Amino acid sequence: MAATLSPGDTGLQLLQNSVATAFALGALILTFGPVSGAHFNPVVSAADWWLGRRHGTGLTGRDLAGYAAAQTLGAMAGAVLANAMFDLAPVAISRTERTGGHLWLGEVVATAGLLLLIFALVRSGRTAAAPAAVGAYIGAAYWFTSSTSFANPAVTVGRVFTDTFAGIAPASAPGFVAAQLAGLVVGVALVAALYPTAGAAAGDAVVPQGDAAGSRR
């Protein structure tokens, strides 16, 4: 949509993408938080498992594997659906190359910052603010990182399947995923240093998950 409305204006396209992402992400967290805790990101799920393992909170290893598979398949399906909605080939492999140390560093910063934000909210009991806070962070990170803040291995894989402004070429994706995993390590280390007891509340990341009656897990 951004490329159609603002052809040739990369800056405006980036603004349109960042605004849409920020608002949509907040809405999705509100919608799916009661179902899955709004885990849309394998690195967030991995941090939740790692930080919560000693306390018996957060995801189990089996949950983590299932979540990561569902997140990746969901991102791929989302790209196919978006292509179809805008009358493009359902599967269109991206030709947009995104590579270089400065972009990978941007992904490390974006991913580590996202984890720090989420677990700061969890540790301080402010998970109700997660939809707005996470959406705002990702929207802002489009602009303050060199990589435009994918910050999500599942999203990176999904974007391979769209040859649009948001896409990433298959050859560029492994570098982004590796940088995001590095950001996971940095982020977990920062959370452990700044919020040593965050793992005790890991079950509330991203937001508390409830059953059909609305109770916490």
Side-chain angles (χ1 to χ4, degrees):
M1 180 63 79
T4 300
L5 292 175
S6 308
D9 192 334
T10 304
L12 187 53
Q13 289 176 20
L14 184 62
L15 176 62
Q16 291 160 339
N17 271 265
S18 63
V19 170
T21 300
F23 283 104
L25 182 55
L28 288 170
I29 292 172
L30 287 170
T31 302
F32 294 105
V35 179
S36 67
H39 279 243
F40 306 140
N41 189 331
V43 296
V44 174
S45 298
D48 184 48
W49 164 75
W50 179 261
L51 292 168
R53 72 196 191 287
R54 293 181 180 176
H55 302 273
T57 59
L59 300 179
T60 64
R62 183 177 180 178
D63 288 339
L64 173 59
Y67 270 47
Q71 290 154 351
T72 304
L73 290 173
M76 294 165 61
V80 171
L81 176 60
N83 287 337
M85 283 196 298
F86 289 95
D87 199 26
L88 303 174
V91 176
I93 302 301
S94 176
R95 293 169 291 178
T96 302
E97 295 185 3
R98 302 176 188 264
T99 186
H102 65 296
L103 298 182
W104 299 332
L105 178 59
E107 281 300 285
V108 173
V109 171
T111 305
L114 176 62
L115 293 175
L116 188 59
L117 169 63
I118 289 171
F119 284 95
L121 293 173
V122 169
R123 173 62 182 82
S124 59
R126 295 177 294 164
T127 53
V134 173
Y137 175 85
I138 292 297
Y142 266 80
W143 296 91
F144 71 70
T145 65
S146 56
S147 63
T148 67
S149 182
F150 286 39
N152 184 330
V155 164
T156 303
V157 172
R159 289 190 184 199
V160 168
F161 294 89
T162 177
D163 191 22
T164 61
F165 178 80
I168 180 171
S172 300
F176 266 56
V177 172
Q180 291 153 4
L181 294 177
L184 166 63
V185 174
V186 173
V188 167
L190 287 172
V191 171
L194 296 175
Y195 304 102
T197 62
D204 290 341
V206 175
V207 295
Q209 177 183 345
D211 59 21
S215 62
R216 288 189 175 188
R217 64 180 172 188

PDB file of all heavy atoms in Angstrom, residues 70-83:
ATOM      1  N   ALA A  70       5.020 -22.057  15.046  1.00  0.00           N
ATOM      2  CA  ALA A  70       3.782 -21.341  14.726  1.00  0.00           C
ATOM      3  C   ALA A  70       4.065 -19.900  14.315  1.00  0.00           C
ATOM      4  O   ALA A  70       3.432 -19.371  13.390  1.00  0.00           O
ATOM      5  CB  ALA A  70       2.844 -21.371  15.930  1.00  0.00           C
ATOM      6  N   GLN A  71       5.004 -19.244  14.987  1.00  0.00           N
ATOM      7  CA  GLN A  71       5.350 -17.865  14.662  1.00  0.00           C
ATOM      8  C   GLN A  71       5.915 -17.760  13.244  1.00  0.00           C
ATOM      9  O   GLN A  71       5.560 -16.847  12.485  1.00  0.00           O
ATOM     10  CB  GLN A  71       6.363 -17.342  15.692  1.00  0.00           C
ATOM     11  CG  GLN A  71       5.764 -17.144  17.074  1.00  0.00           C
ATOM     12  CD  GLN A  71       6.793 -17.255  18.181  1.00  0.00           C
ATOM     13  OE1 GLN A  71       7.943 -17.645  17.958  1.00  0.00           O
ATOM     14  NE2 GLN A  71       6.391 -16.938  19.399  1.00  0.00           N
ATOM     15  N   THR A  72       6.779 -18.696  12.894  1.00  0.00           N
ATOM     16  CA  THR A  72       7.402 -18.655  11.569  1.00  0.00           C
ATOM     17  C   THR A  72       6.388 -18.972  10.476  1.00  0.00           C
ATOM     18  O   THR A  72       6.318 -18.276   9.453  1.00  0.00           O
ATOM     19  CB  THR A  72       8.578 -19.637  11.507  1.00  0.00           C
ATOM     20  OG1 THR A  72       9.507 -19.325  12.553  1.00  0.00           O
ATOM     21  CG2 THR A  72       9.295 -19.555  10.167  1.00  0.00           C
ATOM     22  N   LEU A  73       5.581 -20.006  10.684  1.00  0.00           N
ATOM     23  CA  LEU A  73       4.553 -20.337   9.703  1.00  0.00           C
ATOM     24  C   LEU A  73       3.529 -19.204   9.580  1.00  0.00           C
ATOM     25  O   LEU A  73       3.042 -18.908   8.480  1.00  0.00           O
ATOM     26  CB  LEU A  73       3.858 -21.642  10.090  1.00  0.00           C
ATOM     27  CG  LEU A  73       4.708 -22.911   9.962  1.00  0.00           C
ATOM     28  CD1 LEU A  73       3.971 -24.104  10.545  1.00  0.00           C
ATOM     29  CD2 LEU A  73       5.082 -23.178   8.505  1.00  0.00           C
ATOM     30  N   GLY A  74       3.202 -18.574  10.708  1.00  0.00           N
ATOM     31  CA  GLY A  74       2.265 -17.451  10.679  1.00  0.00           C
ATOM     32  C   GLY A  74       2.798 -16.275   9.883  1.00  0.00           C
ATOM     33  O   GLY A  74       2.057 -15.628   9.128  1.00  0.00           O
ATOM     34  N   ALA A  75       4.090 -15.994  10.035  1.00  0.00           N
ATOM     35  CA  ALA A  75       4.691 -14.888   9.284  1.00  0.00           C
ATOM     36  C   ALA A  75       4.690 -15.177   7.787  1.00  0.00           C
ATOM     37  O   ALA A  75       4.398 -14.295   6.960  1.00  0.00           O
ATOM     38  CB  ALA A  75       6.116 -14.649   9.773  1.00  0.00           C
ATOM     39  N   MET A  76       4.998 -16.418   7.425  1.00  0.00           N
ATOM     40  CA  MET A  76       4.974 -16.794   6.009  1.00  0.00           C
ATOM     41  C   MET A  76       3.559 -16.694   5.444  1.00  0.00           C
ATOM     42  O   MET A  76       3.350 -16.162   4.350  1.00  0.00           O
ATOM     43  CB  MET A  76       5.530 -18.209   5.853  1.00  0.00           C
ATOM     44  CG  MET A  76       7.004 -18.333   6.216  1.00  0.00           C
ATOM     45  SD  MET A  76       7.542 -20.054   6.442  1.00  0.00           S
ATOM     46  CE  MET A  76       7.221 -20.737   4.822  1.00  0.00           C
ATOM     47  N   ALA A  77       2.588 -17.193   6.204  1.00  0.00           N
ATOM     48  CA  ALA A  77       1.200 -17.129   5.749  1.00  0.00           C
ATOM     49  C   ALA A  77       0.735 -15.679   5.633  1.00  0.00           C
ATOM     50  O   ALA A  77      -0.020 -15.324   4.713  1.00  0.00           O
ATOM     51  CB  ALA A  77       0.299 -17.891   6.715  1.00  0.00           C
ATOM     52  N   GLY A  78       1.185 -14.824   6.557  1.00  0.00           N
ATOM     53  CA  GLY A  78       0.819 -13.418   6.498  1.00  0.00           C
ATOM     54  C   GLY A  78       1.349 -12.732   5.252  1.00  0.00           C
ATOM     55  O   GLY A  78       0.652 -11.902   4.638  1.00  0.00           O
ATOM     56  N   ALA A  79       2.574 -13.077   4.853  1.00  0.00           N
ATOM     57  CA  ALA A  79       3.133 -12.497   3.639  1.00  0.00           C
ATOM     58  C   ALA A  79       2.347 -12.937   2.407  1.00  0.00           C
ATOM     59  O   ALA A  79       2.054 -12.133   1.509  1.00  0.00           O
ATOM     60  CB  ALA A  79       4.601 -12.904   3.501  1.00  0.00           C
ATOM     61  N   VAL A  80       1.983 -14.217   2.372  1.00  0.00           N
ATOM     62  CA  VAL A  80       1.192 -14.721   1.244  1.00  0.00           C
ATOM     63  C   VAL A  80      -0.168 -14.030   1.202  1.00  0.00           C
ATOM     64  O   VAL A  80      -0.647 -13.627   0.131  1.00  0.00           O
ATOM     65  CB  VAL A  80       1.027 -16.255   1.356  1.00  0.00           C
ATOM     66  CG1 VAL A  80       0.035 -16.770   0.324  1.00  0.00           C
ATOM     67  CG2 VAL A  80       2.378 -16.941   1.187  1.00  0.00           C
ATOM     68  N   LEU A  81      -0.807 -13.866   2.369  1.00  0.00           N
ATOM     69  CA  LEU A  81      -2.102 -13.201   2.424  1.00  0.00           C
ATOM     70  C   LEU A  81      -2.000 -11.749   1.972  1.00  0.00           C
ATOM     71  O   LEU A  81      -2.850 -11.263   1.205  1.00  0.00           O
ATOM     72  CB  LEU A  81      -2.658 -13.263   3.851  1.00  0.00           C
ATOM     73  CG  LEU A  81      -3.974 -12.536   4.105  1.00  0.00           C
ATOM     74  CD1 LEU A  81      -5.084 -13.101   3.236  1.00  0.00           C
ATOM     75  CD2 LEU A  81      -4.348 -12.617   5.584  1.00  0.00           C
ATOM     76  N   ALA A  82      -0.960 -11.048   2.428  1.00  0.00           N
ATOM     77  CA  ALA A  82      -0.782  -9.646   2.020  1.00  0.00           C
ATOM     78  C   ALA A  82      -0.561  -9.543   0.516  1.00  0.00           C
ATOM     79  O   ALA A  82      -1.127  -8.655  -0.150  1.00  0.00           O
ATOM     80  CB  ALA A  82       0.393  -9.033   2.770  1.00  0.00           C
ATOM     81  N   ASN A  83       0.243 -10.442  -0.040  1.00  0.00           N
ATOM     82  CA  ASN A  83       0.439 -10.440  -1.494  1.00  0.00           C
ATOM     83  C   ASN A  83      -0.888 -10.612  -2.223  1.00  0.00           C
ATOM     84  O   ASN A  83      -1.185  -9.911  -3.195  1.00  0.00           O
ATOM     85  CB  ASN A  83       1.398 -11.574  -1.891  1.00  0.00           C
ATOM     86  CG  ASN A  83       2.837 -11.305  -1.506  1.00  0.00           C
ATOM     87  OD1 ASN A  83       3.244 -10.167  -1.336  1.00  0.00           O
ATOM     88  ND2 ASN A  83       3.611 -12.374  -1.364  1.00  0.00           N
TER      89      ASN A  83
END
